[in-house]
């Protein structure tokens, strides 16, 4: 992380229902644990903030590597639920008046309300922002053809859809367009960005990709 000690590190972890897929949420927590360890080792003050449509209770990890076991326990107890609304959740965080620092947002960014204003809220408060986009094979390709019953994980809405090859291809293009738009937005506003597929080893994400951004191990 930054060479300056005692830098506030805020780890925002999307715990909404859209992150309920076990592999995706487990990967998000593994990444959070790795980042916590790096921050604690550099004597930075690390705070874990799970969110959905609101900001849940924040959890201070403290300082020093010895605190990492407390972090493991906090992450293990974290559960998914609720709808996604980054803008509302981050406005609540901004109202708390926390000292600016490095804010890492770990999320799939599948928010029907959009993610742009939420990330801008953090920047407007003086935070250095880094977006970690979680993605799974199920996100990229539903892997189903024919008559399929789709259930919105957050609202419970059910739709019967005939998935043709053309529709499946269109879905894939739409998901890629979402990812491209997020990456372009981050580049335009000087927000760090990394896509963290669940199939990738955490070590690869942390040791290789993160060093290209705002992180220095």
């Amino acid at each position: 992380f930054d060479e300056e000690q005692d830098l506030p590190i805020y780890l925002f972890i999307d715990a909404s229902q859209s992150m309920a897929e076990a592999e995706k949420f487990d990967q998000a927590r593994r990444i959070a644990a790795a980042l916590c360890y790096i921050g604690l080792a550099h004597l930075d003050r690390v705070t874990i903030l799970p969110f959905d449509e609101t900001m849940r209770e924040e959890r201070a990890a403290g300082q020093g590597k010895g605190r990492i076991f407390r972090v493991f326990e906090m992450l293990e107890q974290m559960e998914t639920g609720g709808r996604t609304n980054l803008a509302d959740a981050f406005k609540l965080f901004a109202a708390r008046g926390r000292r600016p620092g490095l804010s890492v947002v770990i999320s799939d960014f599948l928010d029907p309300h959009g993610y742009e204003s939420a990330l801008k809220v953090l920047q407007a408060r003086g935070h250095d922002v880094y977006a970690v986009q979680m993605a799974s094979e199920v996100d990229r390709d539903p892997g189903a053809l024919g008559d399929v019953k789709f259930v919105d994980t957050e609202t419970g809405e059910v739709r019967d859809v005939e998935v043709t090859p053309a529709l499946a291809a269109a879905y894939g293009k739409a998901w890629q367009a979402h990812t491209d738009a997020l990456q372009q937005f981050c580049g335009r506003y000087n927000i760090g960005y990394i896509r963290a597929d669940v199939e990738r080893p955490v070590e690869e994400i942390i040791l290789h990709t993160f060093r290209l951004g705002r992180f220095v191990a």
Side-chain angles (χ1 to χ4, degrees), residues 32-33 36 40 48 61 67-76:
C36 269
L40 293 173
I48 299 173
R67 292 281 191 167
I68 192 61
F69 298 103
R70 174 187 171 92
V71 169
F72 291 157
E73 182 180 351
M74 287 189 285
L75 292 173
E76 182 66 27

Side-chain angles (χ1 to χ4, degrees), residues 23-85:
E23 291 82 359
K24 185 161 63 173
F25 195 53
D26 286 347
Q27 180 80 320
R29 288 185 290 182
R30 283 192 290 267
I31 292 172
L35 292 178
C36 269
Y37 182 81
I38 295 172
L40 293 173
H42 285 73
L43 299 180
D44 296 319
R45 294 188 179 276
V46 181
T47 302
I48 299 173
L49 300 107
F51 70 91
D52 42 62
E53 58 190 331
T54 187
M55 192 63 60
R56 299 184 189 174
E57 181 181 359
E58 63 182 66
R59 307 171 184 187
Q63 288 179 300
K65 290 187 289 185
R67 292 281 191 167
I68 192 61
F69 298 103
R70 174 187 171 92
V71 169
F72 291 157
E73 182 180 351
M74 287 189 285
L75 292 173
E76 182 66 27
Q77 293 173 351
M78 197 177 297
E79 297 181 350
T80 56
R83 302 185 183 187
T84 309
N85 193 318

Side-chain angles (χ1 to χ4, degrees), residues 19-175:
M19 291 284 291
E21 184 186 345
E23 291 82 359
K24 185 161 63 173
F25 195 53
D26 286 347
Q27 180 80 320
R29 288 185 290 182
R30 283 192 290 267
I31 292 172
L35 292 178
C36 269
Y37 182 81
I38 295 172
L40 293 173
H42 285 73
L43 299 180
D44 296 319
R45 294 188 179 276
V46 181
T47 302
I48 299 173
L49 300 107
F51 70 91
D52 42 62
E53 58 190 331
T54 187
M55 192 63 60
R56 299 184 189 174
E57 181 181 359
E58 63 182 66
R59 307 171 184 187
Q63 288 179 300
K65 290 187 289 185
R67 292 281 191 167
I68 192 61
F69 298 103
R70 174 187 171 92
V71 169
F72 291 157
E73 182 180 351
M74 287 189 285
L75 292 173
E76 182 66 27
Q77 293 173 351
M78 197 177 297
E79 297 181 350
T80 56
R83 302 185 183 187
T84 309
N85 193 318
L86 281 83
D88 284 355
F90 285 21
K91 285 177 183 176
L92 290 173
F93 169 76
R96 296 176 182 177
R98 294 293 185 266
R99 184 157 68 96
L102 176 61
S103 289
V104 183
V105 183
I106 304 174
S107 172
D108 55 18
F109 293 94
L110 296 175
D111 185 344
H113 309 282
Y115 51 78
E116 296 88 347
S117 63
L119 298 179
K120 287 181 179 179
V121 162
L122 293 177
Q123 276 198 324
R125 298 303 188 277
H127 294 266
D128 190 17
V129 185
Y130 203 97
V132 179
Q133 182 190 13
M134 303 305 305
S136 68
E137 180 64 29
V138 175
D139 290 329
R140 300 188 295 269
D141 180 3
L145 293 174
D147 294 328
V148 178
K149 188 182 297 292
F150 282 98
V151 181
D152 188 311
T153 59
E154 295 192 357
T155 66
E157 180 182 357
V158 178
R159 289 189 181 183
D160 293 316
V161 179
E162 181 183 358
V163 181
T164 64
L167 183 59
Y171 173 91
K173 290 180 180 179
W175 189 89

Side-chain angles (χ1 to χ4, degrees), residues 178-195:
H178 162 73
T179 295
D180 292 343
L182 173 61
Q183 186 171 7
Q184 292 166 11
F185 173 84
C186 290
R188 188 179 312 123
Y189 288 95
N190 193 31
I191 294 171
Y193 169 84
I194 175 64
R195 181 170 136 188

